[in-house]
Amino acid sequence: MERKPLEVESTDHQKPSSAVYDGSVPAVDSVEEVVEETKVVYRGWKVMPFIIGNETFEKLGIIGTLSNLLVYLTAVFNMKSITAATIINAFSGTINFGTFLAAFLCDTYFGRYKTLTVAVIACFLGSLVILLTAAVPQLHPTPCGTAISCIGPSGGQIAFLLLGLGFLVVGAGGIRPCNLAFGADQFNPKSESGKRGIDSFFNWYFFTFTFAQILSLTLIVYVQSNVSWTIGLTIPVVLMFLACVIFFAGDKLYVKIKASGSPLASIAQVIAVAIKKRGLKPTKQPWLNLYNYYPSKYANSKLKYTDQFRFLDKAAILAPEDKLEADGKPADPWKLCTMQQVEEVKCIVRVLPIWFAASIYYLTITQQMTYPVFQALQSDRRLGSRGFVIPAATYVVFLMTGMTVFIIFYDRVLVPTLRRITGIDTGITLLQRIGTGIFFAFLSLIVSGFVEERRRTFALTKPTLGMAPRKGEISSMSAMWLIPQLALAGIAEAFGAIGQMEFYYKQFPENMRSFAGSIFYVGAGVSSYLGSFLIAMVHRTTQNSAGGNWLAEDLNKGRLDLFYFMIAGILAVNFAYFLVMSRWYRYKASDDEVKTYETNGDAIKQQDKNTV
């Protein structure tokens, strides 16, 4: 499929035109920027109340529905904790993998605005269906109270629940890869104010995300756990409705980039042609002799030649039988590709080893969002002399709080300090930021293991506080001991998650920005499925062992601490792998990159002080 020039959708005040400013007319460096020749109005921060407002209410709605879903499945649908954890991991993984399909449909056919339109409506419908499973008695099993044996959900009740989860998969899968890129579309990428706006938008995006999680994990979870599931699930439905209203209120103001054809076709062409031409001899001085061509109004930045993955270079060797059109374009893109296409594929291939390491890293966050809830259920959750009991799912808020607080410290204190030391504008490179996140994730798991060992020891050797329904005895250890592991996981996210999102956004070709947004969530999906696999394997391997099931329903009879240490071991190996891949990586179009080409023909020396 041939890619079209990047265009914006027409509105009442705006004609169809290119959204890429080509430099022929000076850009207006102000809050509202107008590219005169192309009639594109970049309103920047003027439309952020609609985008960030929608993001805030949408996240409150989705997270408000899903944050306590683990407890909902065990308390209302009478599922065992291991079954509920497996469903949650599989559901999260499906959402995250769904972002890749949504990104493909977005970039190829519909554009970001139309994709988001369908997604926000689907999220509203999904939240509404989940609410009905709580509000209508026929849609959930009979409550079993403190009974040891409970009646599970019927096939029809599971089907209706899955319908709601299916709507949420469609909605969240469409919103996650497109929202960030859609917000960045509102700034002029060619002006200094526009570039600063894009950088700030990243911070606001994650601040909004963590704010929504904190509010959901406190207020909404408290209402669900202590007042009523029906009322607690009504709140997210109302918030999702408000998100829809706010999003559509800005309809006339947005810059709406049209879909410009499948970027996957170009990738497939490079691979196919490189295989066809594998017998050709490599060219000398490929940066000069490889065929290259740039269409008019080409959306992507022009890339320099790199000497990695040189087998792909053969796709851009101009053979005698290759034909060109009058304007220099290949007559058949499946027989000849440009050096620009080859370098764009190299950008993607270079990212994949880093993405794999980042996916393994996210295994930590997956576990810290599930098992600490079960730890809290069998810990002392009382707060103050009046005996206020903190809902178990609320403890995960400390992960979000750690992330939110550290983002501010990182941006205001750490970056300026490191900038003076390293001379790098961002203080440290993106790969250093991701690597630091992996290290803090490792520390989080080690602390988790020791805290669980302490909780279990208290439960077995000291007086307990009663029985947790269908679990076991409640340890006298305060659940506040869970805060350090969750705070460390939050710091890991401040480094790792934001670093990854910015890394993918900047290292992918510009016409694959939605894919760049999706690859982060696909990595999280891989970790979710890996988490489910590890839980199943550990459960199956240890349930009949002499030491007992590590992941027993009653944590006091299990060895969750050993499970944490096992994952920490996996992460230690992954960290070593990440360091090796980081040394090998070369940044795309880095300002610090220095290339010296040997003119004698065969070798290229490259230096990049941003390698790690």
Side-chain angles (χ1 to χ4, degrees), residues 45-74:
W45 289 108
K46 283 190 175 181
V47 296
M48 287 304 108
F50 300 104
I51 293 177
I52 293 179
N54 163 66
E55 173 73 10
T56 301
F57 286 111
E58 173 262 320
K59 284 292 184 289
L60 282 170
I62 291 181
I63 297 170
T65 299
L66 300 181
S67 59
N68 212 17
L69 189 59
L70 188 67
V71 177
Y72 182 70
L73 293 179
T74 55

PDB file of all heavy atoms in Angstrom, residues 45-74:
ATOM      1  N   TRP A  45      -1.846  24.504  23.646  1.00  0.00           N
ATOM      2  CA  TRP A  45      -2.416  24.389  24.990  1.00  0.00           C
ATOM      3  C   TRP A  45      -3.865  24.846  25.059  1.00  0.00           C
ATOM      4  O   TRP A  45      -4.555  24.536  26.034  1.00  0.00           O
ATOM      5  CB  TRP A  45      -1.568  25.187  25.984  1.00  0.00           C
ATOM      6  CG  TRP A  45      -0.250  24.545  26.245  1.00  0.00           C
ATOM      7  CD1 TRP A  45       0.972  24.973  25.824  1.00  0.00           C
ATOM      8  CD2 TRP A  45      -0.020  23.332  26.968  1.00  0.00           C
ATOM      9  NE1 TRP A  45       1.951  24.096  26.241  1.00  0.00           N
ATOM     10  CE2 TRP A  45       1.367  23.090  26.954  1.00  0.00           C
ATOM     11  CE3 TRP A  45      -0.852  22.429  27.639  1.00  0.00           C
ATOM     12  CZ2 TRP A  45       1.940  21.985  27.571  1.00  0.00           C
ATOM     13  CZ3 TRP A  45      -0.283  21.320  28.251  1.00  0.00           C
ATOM     14  CH2 TRP A  45       1.096  21.110  28.212  1.00  0.00           C
ATOM     15  N   LYS A  46      -4.359  25.553  24.047  1.00  0.00           N
ATOM     16  CA  LYS A  46      -5.761  25.987  24.072  1.00  0.00           C
ATOM     17  C   LYS A  46      -6.731  24.808  24.024  1.00  0.00           C
ATOM     18  O   LYS A  46      -7.852  24.900  24.521  1.00  0.00           O
ATOM     19  CB  LYS A  46      -6.036  26.939  22.905  1.00  0.00           C
ATOM     20  CG  LYS A  46      -5.499  28.342  23.119  1.00  0.00           C
ATOM     21  CD  LYS A  46      -6.021  29.292  22.052  1.00  0.00           C
ATOM     22  CE  LYS A  46      -5.591  30.735  22.343  1.00  0.00           C
ATOM     23  NZ  LYS A  46      -6.112  31.668  21.324  1.00  0.00           N
ATOM     24  N   VAL A  47      -6.312  23.701  23.381  1.00  0.00           N
ATOM     25  CA  VAL A  47      -7.207  22.544  23.304  1.00  0.00           C
ATOM     26  C   VAL A  47      -6.879  21.491  24.360  1.00  0.00           C
ATOM     27  O   VAL A  47      -7.575  20.476  24.461  1.00  0.00           O
ATOM     28  CB  VAL A  47      -7.172  21.888  21.901  1.00  0.00           C
ATOM     29  CG1 VAL A  47      -7.700  22.836  20.858  1.00  0.00           C
ATOM     30  CG2 VAL A  47      -5.763  21.429  21.553  1.00  0.00           C
ATOM     31  N   MET A  48      -5.845  21.749  25.153  1.00  0.00           N
ATOM     32  CA  MET A  48      -5.486  20.768  26.183  1.00  0.00           C
ATOM     33  C   MET A  48      -6.574  20.564  27.236  1.00  0.00           C
ATOM     34  O   MET A  48      -6.708  19.448  27.768  1.00  0.00           O
ATOM     35  CB  MET A  48      -4.169  21.162  26.852  1.00  0.00           C
ATOM     36  CG  MET A  48      -2.941  20.948  25.973  1.00  0.00           C
ATOM     37  SD  MET A  48      -2.765  19.243  25.347  1.00  0.00           S
ATOM     38  CE  MET A  48      -3.192  19.478  23.615  1.00  0.00           C
ATOM     39  N   PRO A  49      -7.374  21.585  27.605  1.00  0.00           N
ATOM     40  CA  PRO A  49      -8.467  21.309  28.552  1.00  0.00           C
ATOM     41  C   PRO A  49      -9.401  20.207  28.061  1.00  0.00           C
ATOM     42  O   PRO A  49      -9.909  19.410  28.859  1.00  0.00           O
ATOM     43  CB  PRO A  49      -9.199  22.654  28.651  1.00  0.00           C
ATOM     44  CG  PRO A  49      -8.136  23.669  28.379  1.00  0.00           C
ATOM     45  CD  PRO A  49      -7.254  23.040  27.333  1.00  0.00           C
ATOM     46  N   PHE A  50      -9.624  20.131  26.744  1.00  0.00           N
ATOM     47  CA  PHE A  50     -10.491  19.080  26.202  1.00  0.00           C
ATOM     48  C   PHE A  50      -9.772  17.726  26.218  1.00  0.00           C
ATOM     49  O   PHE A  50     -10.337  16.710  26.619  1.00  0.00           O
ATOM     50  CB  PHE A  50     -10.911  19.422  24.772  1.00  0.00           C
ATOM     51  CG  PHE A  50     -11.674  20.707  24.658  1.00  0.00           C
ATOM     52  CD1 PHE A  50     -11.066  21.859  24.172  1.00  0.00           C
ATOM     53  CD2 PHE A  50     -12.996  20.786  25.051  1.00  0.00           C
ATOM     54  CE1 PHE A  50     -11.755  23.044  24.077  1.00  0.00           C
ATOM     55  CE2 PHE A  50     -13.704  21.970  24.963  1.00  0.00           C
ATOM     56  CZ  PHE A  50     -13.082  23.106  24.475  1.00  0.00           C
ATOM     57  N   ILE A  51      -8.508  17.719  25.785  1.00  0.00           N
ATOM     58  CA  ILE A  51      -7.773  16.460  25.676  1.00  0.00           C
ATOM     59  C   ILE A  51      -7.392  15.929  27.059  1.00  0.00           C
ATOM     60  O   ILE A  51      -7.621  14.758  27.375  1.00  0.00           O
ATOM     61  CB  ILE A  51      -6.527  16.650  24.789  1.00  0.00           C
ATOM     62  CG1 ILE A  51      -6.967  16.932  23.344  1.00  0.00           C
ATOM     63  CG2 ILE A  51      -5.624  15.421  24.842  1.00  0.00           C
ATOM     64  CD1 ILE A  51      -5.834  17.217  22.390  1.00  0.00           C
ATOM     65  N   ILE A  52      -6.814  16.806  27.894  1.00  0.00           N
ATOM     66  CA  ILE A  52      -6.413  16.363  29.228  1.00  0.00           C
ATOM     67  C   ILE A  52      -7.636  16.131  30.110  1.00  0.00           C
ATOM     68  O   ILE A  52      -7.657  15.226  30.944  1.00  0.00           O
ATOM     69  CB  ILE A  52      -5.449  17.386  29.865  1.00  0.00           C
ATOM     70  CG1 ILE A  52      -4.131  17.403  29.080  1.00  0.00           C
ATOM     71  CG2 ILE A  52      -5.180  17.034  31.329  1.00  0.00           C
ATOM     72  CD1 ILE A  52      -3.107  18.381  29.590  1.00  0.00           C
ATOM     73  N   GLY A  53      -8.701  16.948  29.907  1.00  0.00           N
ATOM     74  CA  GLY A  53      -9.945  16.723  30.650  1.00  0.00           C
ATOM     75  C   GLY A  53     -10.546  15.376  30.310  1.00  0.00           C
ATOM     76  O   GLY A  53     -10.959  14.611  31.202  1.00  0.00           O
ATOM     77  N   ASN A  54     -10.586  15.060  29.011  1.00  0.00           N
ATOM     78  CA  ASN A  54     -11.077  13.747  28.592  1.00  0.00           C
ATOM     79  C   ASN A  54     -10.198  12.645  29.149  1.00  0.00           C
ATOM     80  O   ASN A  54     -10.688  11.622  29.656  1.00  0.00           O
ATOM     81  CB  ASN A  54     -11.087  13.680  27.060  1.00  0.00           C
ATOM     82  CG  ASN A  54     -11.182  12.258  26.538  1.00  0.00           C
ATOM     83  OD1 ASN A  54     -12.173  11.578  26.719  1.00  0.00           O
ATOM     84  ND2 ASN A  54     -10.114  11.811  25.888  1.00  0.00           N
ATOM     85  N   GLU A  55      -8.868  12.857  29.086  1.00  0.00           N
ATOM     86  CA  GLU A  55      -7.927  11.863  29.608  1.00  0.00           C
ATOM     87  C   GLU A  55      -8.153  11.613  31.093  1.00  0.00           C
ATOM     88  O   GLU A  55      -8.154  10.465  31.557  1.00  0.00           O
ATOM     89  CB  GLU A  55      -6.494  12.349  29.362  1.00  0.00           C
ATOM     90  CG  GLU A  55      -5.408  11.516  29.997  1.00  0.00           C
ATOM     91  CD  GLU A  55      -5.194  10.189  29.298  1.00  0.00           C
ATOM     92  OE1 GLU A  55      -5.755   9.992  28.199  1.00  0.00           O
ATOM     93  OE2 GLU A  55      -4.501   9.331  29.861  1.00  0.00           O
ATOM     94  N   THR A  56      -8.373  12.691  31.852  1.00  0.00           N
ATOM     95  CA  THR A  56      -8.561  12.560  33.297  1.00  0.00           C
ATOM     96  C   THR A  56      -9.814  11.754  33.620  1.00  0.00           C
ATOM     97  O   THR A  56      -9.777  10.776  34.391  1.00  0.00           O
ATOM     98  CB  THR A  56      -8.664  13.952  33.953  1.00  0.00           C
ATOM     99  OG1 THR A  56      -7.473  14.692  33.677  1.00  0.00           O
ATOM    100  CG2 THR A  56      -8.836  13.822  35.463  1.00  0.00           C
ATOM    101  N   PHE A  57     -10.954  12.151  33.037  1.00  0.00           N
ATOM    102  CA  PHE A  57     -12.208  11.460  33.340  1.00  0.00           C
ATOM    103  C   PHE A  57     -12.225  10.044  32.761  1.00  0.00           C
ATOM    104  O   PHE A  57     -12.779   9.122  33.369  1.00  0.00           O
ATOM    105  CB  PHE A  57     -13.397  12.262  32.824  1.00  0.00           C
ATOM    106  CG  PHE A  57     -13.706  13.480  33.650  1.00  0.00           C
ATOM    107  CD1 PHE A  57     -13.505  14.751  33.151  1.00  0.00           C
ATOM    108  CD2 PHE A  57     -14.180  13.349  34.947  1.00  0.00           C
ATOM    109  CE1 PHE A  57     -13.780  15.882  33.914  1.00  0.00           C
ATOM    110  CE2 PHE A  57     -14.458  14.457  35.718  1.00  0.00           C
ATOM    111  CZ  PHE A  57     -14.251  15.731  35.204  1.00  0.00           C
ATOM    112  N   GLU A  58     -11.593   9.873  31.598  1.00  0.00           N
ATOM    113  CA  GLU A  58     -11.542   8.541  31.000  1.00  0.00           C
ATOM    114  C   GLU A  58     -10.723   7.598  31.872  1.00  0.00           C
ATOM    115  O   GLU A  58     -11.116   6.451  32.126  1.00  0.00           O
ATOM    116  CB  GLU A  58     -10.953   8.649  29.585  1.00  0.00           C
ATOM    117  CG  GLU A  58     -10.698   7.309  28.912  1.00  0.00           C
ATOM    118  CD  GLU A  58      -9.244   6.883  29.043  1.00  0.00           C
ATOM    119  OE1 GLU A  58      -8.348   7.724  28.932  1.00  0.00           O
ATOM    120  OE2 GLU A  58      -9.019   5.687  29.285  1.00  0.00           O
ATOM    121  N   LYS A  59      -9.573   8.083  32.359  1.00  0.00           N
ATOM    122  CA  LYS A  59      -8.746   7.246  33.231  1.00  0.00           C
ATOM    123  C   LYS A  59      -9.453   6.982  34.560  1.00  0.00           C
ATOM    124  O   LYS A  59      -9.397   5.873  35.102  1.00  0.00           O
ATOM    125  CB  LYS A  59      -7.399   7.921  33.476  1.00  0.00           C
ATOM    126  CG  LYS A  59      -6.434   7.824  32.304  1.00  0.00           C
ATOM    127  CD  LYS A  59      -5.972   6.390  32.101  1.00  0.00           C
ATOM    128  CE  LYS A  59      -4.941   6.281  30.991  1.00  0.00           C
ATOM    129  NZ  LYS A  59      -5.475   6.486  29.656  1.00  0.00           N
ATOM    130  N   LEU A  60     -10.122   8.007  35.102  1.00  0.00           N
ATOM    131  CA  LEU A  60     -10.886   7.796  36.337  1.00  0.00           C
ATOM    132  C   LEU A  60     -11.961   6.741  36.127  1.00  0.00           C
ATOM    133  O   LEU A  60     -12.200   5.887  36.996  1.00  0.00           O
ATOM    134  CB  LEU A  60     -11.526   9.111  36.796  1.00  0.00           C
ATOM    135  CG  LEU A  60     -10.621  10.115  37.509  1.00  0.00           C
ATOM    136  CD1 LEU A  60     -11.334  11.444  37.678  1.00  0.00           C
ATOM    137  CD2 LEU A  60     -10.208   9.568  38.876  1.00  0.00           C
ATOM    138  N   GLY A  61     -12.618   6.798  34.963  1.00  0.00           N
ATOM    139  CA  GLY A  61     -13.669   5.837  34.670  1.00  0.00           C
ATOM    140  C   GLY A  61     -13.143   4.426  34.507  1.00  0.00           C
ATOM    141  O   GLY A  61     -13.639   3.470  35.120  1.00  0.00           O
ATOM    142  N   ILE A  62     -12.103   4.260  33.670  1.00  0.00           N
ATOM    143  CA  ILE A  62     -11.566   2.923  33.415  1.00  0.00           C
ATOM    144  C   ILE A  62     -10.918   2.352  34.674  1.00  0.00           C
ATOM    145  O   ILE A  62     -11.185   1.215  35.072  1.00  0.00           O
ATOM    146  CB  ILE A  62     -10.539   2.962  32.258  1.00  0.00           C
ATOM    147  CG1 ILE A  62     -11.246   3.264  30.932  1.00  0.00           C
ATOM    148  CG2 ILE A  62      -9.802   1.631  32.147  1.00  0.00           C
ATOM    149  CD1 ILE A  62     -10.324   3.303  29.743  1.00  0.00           C
ATOM    150  N   ILE A  63     -10.061   3.156  35.306  1.00  0.00           N
ATOM    151  CA  ILE A  63      -9.351   2.660  36.493  1.00  0.00           C
ATOM    152  C   ILE A  63     -10.330   2.432  37.643  1.00  0.00           C
ATOM    153  O   ILE A  63     -10.194   1.487  38.420  1.00  0.00           O
ATOM    154  CB  ILE A  63      -8.237   3.642  36.900  1.00  0.00           C
ATOM    155  CG1 ILE A  63      -7.196   3.731  35.781  1.00  0.00           C
ATOM    156  CG2 ILE A  63      -7.561   3.196  38.190  1.00  0.00           C
ATOM    157  CD1 ILE A  63      -6.190   4.843  35.954  1.00  0.00           C
ATOM    158  N   GLY A  64     -11.339   3.315  37.739  1.00  0.00           N
ATOM    159  CA  GLY A  64     -12.348   3.124  38.773  1.00  0.00           C
ATOM    160  C   GLY A  64     -13.101   1.818  38.610  1.00  0.00           C
ATOM    161  O   GLY A  64     -13.530   1.193  39.584  1.00  0.00           O
ATOM    162  N   THR A  65     -13.242   1.389  37.354  1.00  0.00           N
ATOM    163  CA  THR A  65     -13.908   0.112  37.092  1.00  0.00           C
ATOM    164  C   THR A  65     -12.968  -1.065  37.316  1.00  0.00           C
ATOM    165  O   THR A  65     -13.359  -2.102  37.871  1.00  0.00           O
ATOM    166  CB  THR A  65     -14.439   0.073  35.640  1.00  0.00           C
ATOM    167  OG1 THR A  65     -15.390   1.132  35.461  1.00  0.00           O
ATOM    168  CG2 THR A  65     -15.124  -1.251  35.333  1.00  0.00           C
ATOM    169  N   LEU A  66     -11.705  -0.920  36.920  1.00  0.00           N
ATOM    170  CA  LEU A  66     -10.787  -2.054  36.897  1.00  0.00           C
ATOM    171  C   LEU A  66      -9.901  -2.191  38.131  1.00  0.00           C
ATOM    172  O   LEU A  66      -9.428  -3.290  38.416  1.00  0.00           O
ATOM    173  CB  LEU A  66      -9.888  -1.962  35.648  1.00  0.00           C
ATOM    174  CG  LEU A  66     -10.591  -1.964  34.287  1.00  0.00           C
ATOM    175  CD1 LEU A  66      -9.572  -1.885  33.176  1.00  0.00           C
ATOM    176  CD2 LEU A  66     -11.459  -3.194  34.132  1.00  0.00           C
ATOM    177  N   SER A  67      -9.669  -1.086  38.869  1.00  0.00           N
ATOM    178  CA  SER A  67      -8.686  -1.134  39.960  1.00  0.00           C
ATOM    179  C   SER A  67      -9.087  -2.090  41.067  1.00  0.00           C
ATOM    180  O   SER A  67      -8.228  -2.692  41.717  1.00  0.00           O
ATOM    181  CB  SER A  67      -8.475   0.269  40.536  1.00  0.00           C
ATOM    182  OG  SER A  67      -9.697   0.800  41.026  1.00  0.00           O
ATOM    183  N   ASN A  68     -10.373  -2.250  41.287  1.00  0.00           N
ATOM    184  CA  ASN A  68     -10.854  -3.144  42.347  1.00  0.00           C
ATOM    185  C   ASN A  68     -11.473  -4.402  41.765  1.00  0.00           C
ATOM    186  O   ASN A  68     -12.178  -5.138  42.454  1.00  0.00           O
ATOM    187  CB  ASN A  68     -11.885  -2.413  43.213  1.00  0.00           C
ATOM    188  CG  ASN A  68     -11.864  -2.875  44.656  1.00  0.00           C
ATOM    189  OD1 ASN A  68     -10.914  -3.496  45.104  1.00  0.00           O
ATOM    190  ND2 ASN A  68     -12.925  -2.585  45.395  1.00  0.00           N
ATOM    191  N   LEU A  69     -11.192  -4.654  40.486  1.00  0.00           N
ATOM    192  CA  LEU A  69     -11.808  -5.793  39.806  1.00  0.00           C
ATOM    193  C   LEU A  69     -11.363  -7.112  40.418  1.00  0.00           C
ATOM    194  O   LEU A  69     -12.126  -8.080  40.463  1.00  0.00           O
ATOM    195  CB  LEU A  69     -11.462  -5.765  38.309  1.00  0.00           C
ATOM    196  CG  LEU A  69     -12.196  -6.763  37.404  1.00  0.00           C
ATOM    197  CD1 LEU A  69     -13.704  -6.543  37.473  1.00  0.00           C
ATOM    198  CD2 LEU A  69     -11.710  -6.632  35.963  1.00  0.00           C
ATOM    199  N   LEU A  70     -10.122  -7.165  40.909  1.00  0.00           N
ATOM    200  CA  LEU A  70      -9.618  -8.379  41.542  1.00  0.00           C
ATOM    201  C   LEU A  70     -10.480  -8.751  42.748  1.00  0.00           C
ATOM    202  O   LEU A  70     -10.894  -9.904  42.905  1.00  0.00           O
ATOM    203  CB  LEU A  70      -8.160  -8.174  41.963  1.00  0.00           C
ATOM    204  CG  LEU A  70      -7.412  -9.405  42.466  1.00  0.00           C
ATOM    205  CD1 LEU A  70      -7.208 -10.411  41.353  1.00  0.00           C
ATOM    206  CD2 LEU A  70      -6.074  -8.987  43.070  1.00  0.00           C
ATOM    207  N   VAL A  71     -10.754  -7.756  43.591  1.00  0.00           N
ATOM    208  CA  VAL A  71     -11.593  -7.992  44.765  1.00  0.00           C
ATOM    209  C   VAL A  71     -13.035  -8.276  44.331  1.00  0.00           C
ATOM    210  O   VAL A  71     -13.724  -9.122  44.918  1.00  0.00           O
ATOM    211  CB  VAL A  71     -11.542  -6.784  45.723  1.00  0.00           C
ATOM    212  CG1 VAL A  71     -12.473  -6.985  46.916  1.00  0.00           C
ATOM    213  CG2 VAL A  71     -10.114  -6.544  46.202  1.00  0.00           C
ATOM    214  N   TYR A  72     -13.509  -7.579  43.300  1.00  0.00           N
ATOM    215  CA  TYR A  72     -14.871  -7.770  42.802  1.00  0.00           C
ATOM    216  C   TYR A  72     -15.098  -9.211  42.351  1.00  0.00           C
ATOM    217  O   TYR A  72     -16.135  -9.826  42.658  1.00  0.00           O
ATOM    218  CB  TYR A  72     -15.132  -6.798  41.650  1.00  0.00           C
ATOM    219  CG  TYR A  72     -16.532  -6.856  41.083  1.00  0.00           C
ATOM    220  CD1 TYR A  72     -17.617  -6.399  41.818  1.00  0.00           C
ATOM    221  CD2 TYR A  72     -16.766  -7.358  39.809  1.00  0.00           C
ATOM    222  CE1 TYR A  72     -18.906  -6.447  41.302  1.00  0.00           C
ATOM    223  CE2 TYR A  72     -18.038  -7.410  39.280  1.00  0.00           C
ATOM    224  CZ  TYR A  72     -19.108  -6.956  40.025  1.00  0.00           C
ATOM    225  OH  TYR A  72     -20.382  -7.009  39.512  1.00  0.00           O
ATOM    226  N   LEU A  73     -14.119  -9.776  41.621  1.00  0.00           N
ATOM    227  CA  LEU A  73     -14.274 -11.139  41.124  1.00  0.00           C
ATOM    228  C   LEU A  73     -14.289 -12.162  42.250  1.00  0.00           C
ATOM    229  O   LEU A  73     -14.990 -13.179  42.170  1.00  0.00           O
ATOM    230  CB  LEU A  73     -13.144 -11.465  40.136  1.00  0.00           C
ATOM    231  CG  LEU A  73     -13.147 -10.686  38.819  1.00  0.00           C
ATOM    232  CD1 LEU A  73     -11.971 -11.098  37.951  1.00  0.00           C
ATOM    233  CD2 LEU A  73     -14.455 -10.876  38.060  1.00  0.00           C
ATOM    234  N   THR A  74     -13.522 -11.905  43.309  1.00  0.00           N
ATOM    235  CA  THR A  74     -13.500 -12.851  44.428  1.00  0.00           C
ATOM    236  C   THR A  74     -14.673 -12.639  45.386  1.00  0.00           C
ATOM    237  O   THR A  74     -15.218 -13.602  45.919  1.00  0.00           O
ATOM    238  CB  THR A  74     -12.176 -12.729  45.208  1.00  0.00           C
ATOM    239  OG1 THR A  74     -11.982 -11.372  45.630  1.00  0.00           O
ATOM    240  CG2 THR A  74     -10.994 -13.141  44.332  1.00  0.00           C
TER     241      THR A  74
END
